Amino acid sequence: MSQKYVYLFNEGNASMRNLLGGKGANLAEMIGMGLPVPEGFTVTTESCMRYYEDGQVLSDDIISQIYAAMEKLEQVSGKKFGDKENPFLVSVRSGARVSMPGMMDTVLNLGLNDDTVEGLAVLTNNERFAYDCYLRFIQMFSDVVMGIERSKFDAVLNEIKEKYSKESNEELTAEHLKEAAKKYKELYKQEKGMEFPQEPKEQLIEAVKAVFRSWNNPRAIVYRRMNDIPGNWGTAVNVQLMVFGNLGNDSGTGVAFTRNPSTGEKELYGEFLMNAQGEDVVAGIRTPNPISDLQKTNPEVYDQFVNIAKRLELHYRDMQDMEFTIERGKLYILQTRNGKRTAQAAVKIAVDLVSEGLLTKEEAIMKVEPKQLETLIHPSFKPEALKKAKPIAKGLPASPGAAVGSIYFSAEKAKAAADRGEKVVLVREETSPEDIEGMYASEGILTSRGGMTSHAAVVARSIGTCCVAGCSAVSVNEKAGTLTVNGVTYKEGDIISLDGSTGYVYGEVISTQEPAVTGYFKTIMDWADEIRDLKIRTNADSPKDAKQAVEFGAEGIGLCRTEHMFFDAERIPAFQKMIVASSPQERRKALDQILPMQKEDFKGVYEVMKDRPVTIRLLDPPLHEFLPHEDADIEKLSSELGISFERLKGVVANLKELNPMLGHRGCRLAVSYPEIAEMQTRAIIEAALEVKKEKGYDIVPEIMIPLVCELKELQYVKNTIVDTANKMIEESGVELKYLVGTMIEIPRAALTADEIAKEAEFFSFGTNDLTQMTYGLSRDDAGRILEDYYEAGIFEADLTAKLDRTGVGKLMQIAVELGRKTRPDIKLGICGEHGGDPDSIEFCHMLGLDYVSCSPYRVPIARLAAAQAKIKHSK
Amino acid sequence: MSQKYVYLFNEGNASMRNLLGGKGANLAEMIGMGLPVPEGFTVTTESCMRYYEDGQVLSDDIISQIYAAMEKLEQVSGKKFGDKENPFLVSVRSGARVSMPGMMDTVLNLGLNDDTVEGLAVLTNNERFAYDCYLRFIQMFSDVVMGIERSKFDAVLNEIKEKYSKESNEELTAEHLKEAAKKYKELYKQEKGMEFPQEPKEQLIEAVKAVFRSWNNPRAIVYRRMNDIPGNWGTAVNVQLMVFGNLGNDSGTGVAFTRNPSTGEKELYGEFLMNAQGEDVVAGIRTPNPISDLQKTNPEVYDQFVNIAKRLELHYRDMQDMEFTIERGKLYILQTRNGKRTAQAAVKIAVDLVSEGLLTKEEAIMKVEPKQLETLIHPSFKPEALKKAKPIAKGLPASPGAAVGSIYFSAEKAKAAADRGEKVVLVREETSPEDIEGMYASEGILTSRGGMTSHAAVVARSIGTCCVAGCSAVSVNEKAGTLTVNGVTYKEGDIISLDGSTGYVYGEVISTQEPAVTGYFKTIMDWADEIRDLKIRTNADSPKDAKQAVEFGAEGIGLCRTEHMFFDAERIPAFQKMIVASSPQERRKALDQILPMQKEDFKGVYEVMKDRPVTIRLLDPPLHEFLPHEDADIEKLSSELGISFERLKGVVANLKELNPMLGHRGCRLAVSYPEIAEMQTRAIIEAALEVKKEKGYDIVPEIMIPLVCELKELQYVKNTIVDTANKMIEESGVELKYLVGTMIEIPRAALTADEIAKEAEFFSFGTNDLTQMTYGLSRDDAGRILEDYYEAGIFEADLTAKLDRTGVGKLMQIAVELGRKTRPDIKLGICGEHGGDPDSIEFCHMLGLDYVSCSPYRVPIARLAAAQAKIKHSK
């Protein structure tokens, strides 16, 4: 028997999401629950992949299964596809495993032709409606399936309006629309060299293929790259009987959430429009009414909907996002899914669902997307600054947070400015899927049109970007690059501030403040802490960062980079003197100047961290990074340092390397200049001794040696450290324990971890460098290469962005096993950027590491991700 | 009980080489054989390491064991150490596991003081001799143990000669020497602030420590680095009763080999000097007599020695290198060891020993040092050129081979010139251990003094460098930098030619010719071929290289680099046009120009290789390597290419990378520019089809994709290749098989080899890059880093020079196992430079690779090394 490619809705259920896509699986589930869902069927995601495997051809067995399903639909509905007397129409919609809003294509009203349009007119007793549908269908089919620009059809309609001196589409009569339909078909023939397809089955097959094709349109590919969705998942296609919200004032359409997706409040939240099609609500062309108004408009339908919403939430045990249509007073549910929500809503809903007894703590923890928490830990406006500020307009609070930035009016310009390092606010009438990259690059998004469920609002919430939507008080001229409000015009590059939690727009800079972990957020974090095994440390180089991290729940410092301390304008001269020193004596003299500064840094960090562990890494970057490279700058510095231009130029030239990443840095510096490691050890130990004496904290500094590739060099540098430290501790009379460990960031260190562990008391995986060396790919040079790889379809996303479990992960596993073999109690952590990435954190949990270390703002994310990893792998 | 640190000679044997050192073990063995060896004892290599572990302190238990051994010696000899009446003296010599000639220190005549010198005078009835010994001892002890320059003592002696108006040392009487001894001791006191030690036991302990210290003197460290001798082996110290070759004309000393170390002829070969100490022969101060003359001088001793030599050779089943001393007519053997020999001698001796029934073929194979074969495969002078050439002088043929180069008179200058790329001949009166690096850097070595066993000769033979020694016809002025012969003066930089096989020196350039594998060499190679499992391929980019390699026994090409073909002056413009092309079309046009050239290259290679496999690698280096980087050159090229300076400059800037080694090269180029891979595939396949048609060879091209780190990119590039190739083959109507495989040169490729092997039909380990990435160390930037590591004593040699079994080797093993898991018959080879290194070849054998590939001149070495690996691991 041939593989099953097509499932009637009554053959599926919610667990079949991978095969039927999210939308299809949920439609099937709702049918099973007996809800009023228009009948239909799903062409599986496997069909999509088969379509691509066959060279973008829809195979005969898939086509015949689709036809068979259509016949079943005819039986169920008692109507006939393409029948002049009693036709039915279908919608053809994409539906992948996970929702990719607006990324793929849809065709509505499919099944209309010159005959069935007449039948529809009779059935609905509304000829104008029937021809309006036909026009929409021709235009949509021509665009989506055949690639003819929509605007060409708009031009035809405008001609008709001019011809009959009509101002708006609404004024056109059925006759006018009939004439337009004829012209539409002529335009189609002119563009494509053939007649507009009259055979509904042909229309259907072409539409299915078009949806499959849209899986690989450029914006879908970019969206997948940004959301880690594999290209081989494919999309399903849902073919469903059309119901019409635009059959008059007893019809309508809407979307609603079972809870407020912005705040998490337990209230039915949504919008509807009477006499409209679903696309009208989402596209933001008309501003819709709040769902509560439906109670007045149609209390019966409202009550029915409220009941269904409750059932769905209980059934799915999560907040639901539903689409519905009312056709001549009858309610249909067109979609339900777990609703996207702001981070703020996510934590509240998760906590509430536990209070309501719907979820366990573990289940609730799994409901919160770790990456989303970023919005909760982004700055908000300072209340005092906000008090003084005067808003220039108010829009919808579509995605919470505070944003301050220069305004740009196109996604491209916004992205370019962000790439230059500017903080950017994207201003648009309304965003469209093409704007995705610009939206990602912006601090905030402001639109003048569209509601809480408009494209801008949905995307902004999903990516955690502040958004004020539908701010009709502002007038946006995208071409001119201006935003005008109350007669004041703001130009490209002017700075505005947005409050995504209130919807206020400010024409000035408002200072922001750091967020705090409180309320529901704190509850979730506390639960996560109860559950997780991994400790969470932070990468912090200053007392300020350390303090912020501790407030976010950091349990120690996993990486304190000492070199950042030298870039300070006051300090860099001493460091530069050290570099140009021509003898160890001269170098020591310069280092003596640096020692007290470095010691003060460490004291500050220890004082913040109290008894928590602090890992300090010895100098890592190549020395040339501290020197200028242009002759003019060299000239300037040489006179500041009081040495000749030639000498400094010589030093710079001498430090030049062909592959600095594989050059003279890390512990190699400590070998060449042991006096640097000595000074740093002195600073680390002296600071610890003093703070211990002054404050009584039990400080155990962890001194970390970077870029080790071989036991012997580790031994050598460790000897320098231990000799220096032990002597100081002995002289001080204070007892002080300290550890010496190493980064594992060179493949050979991982491969010889049994050797390395003889001397290293801890390992910290430096997965940034380890990834680059394991891939043989320098991140600084990867940009163009990756672009070509995306283009060629080899990679879908930057494989190095999350921890590569197959390659780098194998090295880590080898290192963990070998390291523990030599030293069973060896402390293991990670301090690369992957330490803040949920997927990578899960892998670290699987490896059994002791901790992950990440930037302060990632600490809450890491706490949650660590708990989720534990839950996932306890099953 | 305390560890045993001291062994009397009669407690040891030849198998205890690691503990007693080579010299000590053989002295013990000879004692066991009943040969006339002066009694003594060995302080073990473990004592040396203990000495270093204890912080350069000789522990009490070692000292007391030394004293105990001295007492045993006193019992055996019936004399007493330090006894005025009946004293005995000892020599204190180093002796590591393997011979390190001249690298470490020796003290002779130890035990002399103001009292025992008198006793010696009485015993030998020769006061002058006794004081001569005393002077030598004071000077040697002061130099070796206390670091006082020898020249200061020479100055004292010169003063005495002046004072008494004597021309030479020989003219000085016992009284004069007595006076000198007093002055020597005064000088000592002046330098060291204390009396010259009179206590023989103190002298002994200090001398032992000095020998241990000399294990780590700079020249010993350099020697070890160059000869792969680990620093933790340590040296033993041999303390042996002194016998004197300078007690008159019935005394003498000499060295001899059981076979000719230059040619391998079976004849006693060596030199002796009557009335001389051993150092006189080795140091080349007096020119010694051939050993055969000893038959006339002292037939009885000669016969005895001949017998002993025969016994030793039979006993050790190898050619022996012996030192002997005749004290007043009595023969003593002071040392025996397997003799160093030229490669020519090595193969002859190995083959002869099999004919003589002393060795099996396998044992004979193990007797030849693979690296040494290089001398057999280096050029010799062309006979016709040699016929016309007129020698300007003749010296001793100390190490065979032919050398043509510019003359330099110091090791430093020779090395500097060689670093600049010059071919260099080092000219010295006599070399010393300080000259080692200069000797390594030179094509040939010419000395005006010293014999066949002088320092220059011994070292030159061991490193396979051509050497003419003791060429007394030339007068060398090292300071002035001139060489004068028959009134003609040659200056620094002038070119001369040396024939190390005849000893002739030429003042002109003589053309050289390629060597061939014939005679004994061929026999050894044939045996190696019978034994080995590994196939030997070659890295060859041209028909010429391929031809040479086939003559040396290559069984295929393991790496044909295609980029070298583009650097040709005629071709690079087309290639540059390809790089600056602004569209695939333009690029294809340029590639079309290159295609026929590249095809001709491949045809040439196929024609040479016939049915042997040929692996061709697609373009590998980053494109910027083909473009100029200086403005002037860019200007020039831009006008040649007919594009604007700005455009070309832009292309160059665009191609610039921070870490080109981890950048846009290898298969990444084939992804960005599939048209390049396409063109190369066309060239490879077209050439194969044509040669197959024309010559009927069964050609199976192996197309190799470089720098793969991920299956998907391999798939992508393989698709380009396969699509192109299959189409061409189909069109041609000729049957042609080909393979597509990959380099394993990025750690991730090794770690994911199970994935990679799904598409790769063969793996070739690119251990150059793999080593650099595994170590995180760029070879281009490693120089200064390694210097510091040597300095710090962390590394003793460039760890990346031979295949690192611990780190890189582990990756290779992972790749072999994973690769075979997916594809059991996958072909595995290595084409990095390690493919020609014997130690690395052994590891490849252990891994079970199918072949190694190396430069043509390394093929014979690889054949031998592969056989040795098989023998070693069959046991």
Side-chain angles (χ1 to χ4, degrees), chain A residues 658-662 664 668 672 712-713 746 748 751 774-776 778 781 784 788-789 794 804 810, chain B residues 658-662 664 668 672 712-713 746 748 751 774-776 778 781 784 788-789 794 804 810:
Chain A
L658 282 178
N659 293 287
M661 157 126 236
L662 307 176
H664 202 185
R668 295 164 191 171
S672 296
K712 286 183 195 156
E713 65 184 350
I746 288 187
R748 194 171 187 276
L751 292 161
T774 303
Y775 268 97
S778 146
D781 302 310
R784 199 161 31 107
D788 288 342
Y789 273 59
I794 299 174
D804 159 47
K810 196 176 280 172
Chain B
L658 283 178
N659 293 287
M661 158 124 236
L662 308 176
H664 203 187
R668 296 164 192 172
S672 296
K712 287 183 194 156
E713 65 183 350
I746 287 187
R748 195 170 188 278
L751 292 161
T774 305
Y775 267 97
S778 146
D781 302 310
R784 200 160 32 106
D788 289 343
Y789 272 59
I794 298 174
D804 159 47
K810 196 175 282 171

Side-chain angles (χ1 to χ4, degrees), chain A residues 519-592:
Chain A
Y520 296 107
F521 185 14
K522 183 169 183 306
T523 306
I524 289 285
M525 286 292 103
D526 289 347
W527 292 349
D529 292 349
E530 284 169 28
I531 292 164
R532 67 185 157 88
D533 288 338
L534 277 171
K535 299 268 176 206
I536 311 298
R537 295 197 190 184
T538 190
N539 300 348
D541 308 341
S542 67
K544 180 167 165 283
D545 285 356
K547 189 159 168 291
Q548 180 65 71
V550 167
E551 278 163 20
F552 284 148
E555 296 163 288
I557 288 180
L559 174 62
C560 177
R561 283 167 290 239
T562 51
E563 55 268 19
H564 289 193
M565 301 173 174
F566 299 135
F567 282 109
D568 190 283
E570 283 177 38
R571 299 172 176 198
I572 197 164
F575 198 74
Q576 288 166 332
K577 251 185 222 162
M578 192 281 292
I579 296 174
V580 303
S582 54
S583 70
Q585 290 70 33
E586 218 181 291
R587 195 171 304 113
R588 257 179 234 282
K589 231 175 99 187
L591 286 167
D592 284 347

Side-chain angles (χ1 to χ4, degrees), chain A residues 403-408 423-427 442 444-446 496 498:
Chain A
V404 183
S406 312
I407 54 176
Y408 287 91
K423 292 203 177 289
V424 165
V425 170
L426 177 65
V427 179
S442 302
I445 299 157
L446 170 63
I496 67 170
L498 298 183

Side-chain angles (χ1 to χ4, degrees), chain B residues 206-245:
Chain B
E206 290 306 317
V208 168
K209 281 155 59 176
V211 172
F212 284 159
R213 279 201 303 275
S214 72
W215 173 251
N216 275 335
N217 72 36
R219 64 175 189 269
I221 289 174
V222 168
Y223 185 91
R224 287 205 297 270
R225 187 181 310 154
M226 289 178 166
N227 290 278
D228 282 337
I229 302 171
N232 67 3
W233 278 5
T235 183
V237 179
N238 297 294
V239 178
Q240 191 175 25
L241 290 179
M242 283 293 299
V243 287
F244 295 97

Side-chain angles (χ1 to χ4, degrees), chain B residues 557-569:
Chain B
I557 288 180
L559 174 62
C560 177
R561 282 167 290 237
T562 52
E563 55 268 19
H564 288 193
M565 302 172 172
F566 300 133
F567 281 109
D568 190 285

Side-chain angles (χ1 to χ4, degrees), chain B residues 509-671:
Chain B
V509 174
I510 308 176
S511 4
T512 54
Q513 68 179 7
E514 302 306 317
V517 181
T518 52
Y520 296 108
F521 185 14
K522 182 168 184 305
T523 306
I524 289 287
M525 286 293 103
D526 289 346
W527 293 348
D529 291 349
E530 284 169 27
I531 292 164
R532 68 186 158 88
D533 288 339
L534 277 171
K535 298 267 176 206
I536 310 299
R537 295 197 190 184
T538 190
N539 301 348
D541 308 342
S542 67
K544 181 167 165 281
D545 284 355
K547 191 159 167 289
Q548 180 65 73
V550 168
E551 277 163 21
F552 283 148
E555 296 163 288
I557 288 180
L559 174 62
C560 177
R561 282 167 290 237
T562 52
E563 55 268 19
H564 288 193
M565 302 172 172
F566 300 133
F567 281 109
D568 190 285
E570 282 176 40
R571 300 171 175 198
I572 197 163
F575 198 75
Q576 288 166 333
K577 252 185 221 160
M578 192 280 294
I579 295 174
V580 302
S582 53
S583 70
Q585 290 70 34
E586 218 181 291
R587 194 171 305 114
R588 255 177 236 281
K589 232 176 95 187
L591 286 167
D592 284 346
Q593 272 187 278
I594 299 171
L595 173 63
M597 306 177 194
Q598 184 125 77
K599 189 179 83 180
E600 284 312 308
D601 291 325
F602 295 142
K603 284 186 72 171
V605 168
Y606 291 142
E607 281 166 6
V608 169
M609 297 309 290
K610 299 182 178 162
D611 292 338
R612 299 180 187 90
V614 175
T615 306
I616 298 172
R617 182 177 72 182
L618 298 187
L619 187 69
D620 186 53
L623 297 184
H624 69 77
E625 288 192 11
F626 298 91
L627 293 180
H629 294 90
E630 300 297 326
D631 276 2
D633 301 329
I634 294 175
E635 180 77 57
K636 186 160 165 282
L637 181 61
S638 68
S639 72
E640 281 166 19
L641 295 177
I643 62 174
S644 73
F645 170 79
E646 285 69 30
R647 177 163 155 211
L648 184 55
K649 175 111 180 164
V651 171
V652 171
N654 208 22
L655 291 176
K656 198 177 150 69
E657 293 179 309
L658 283 178
N659 293 287
M661 158 124 236
L662 308 176
H664 203 187
R665 64 190 192 95
C667 69
R668 296 164 192 172
L669 295 174
V671 170

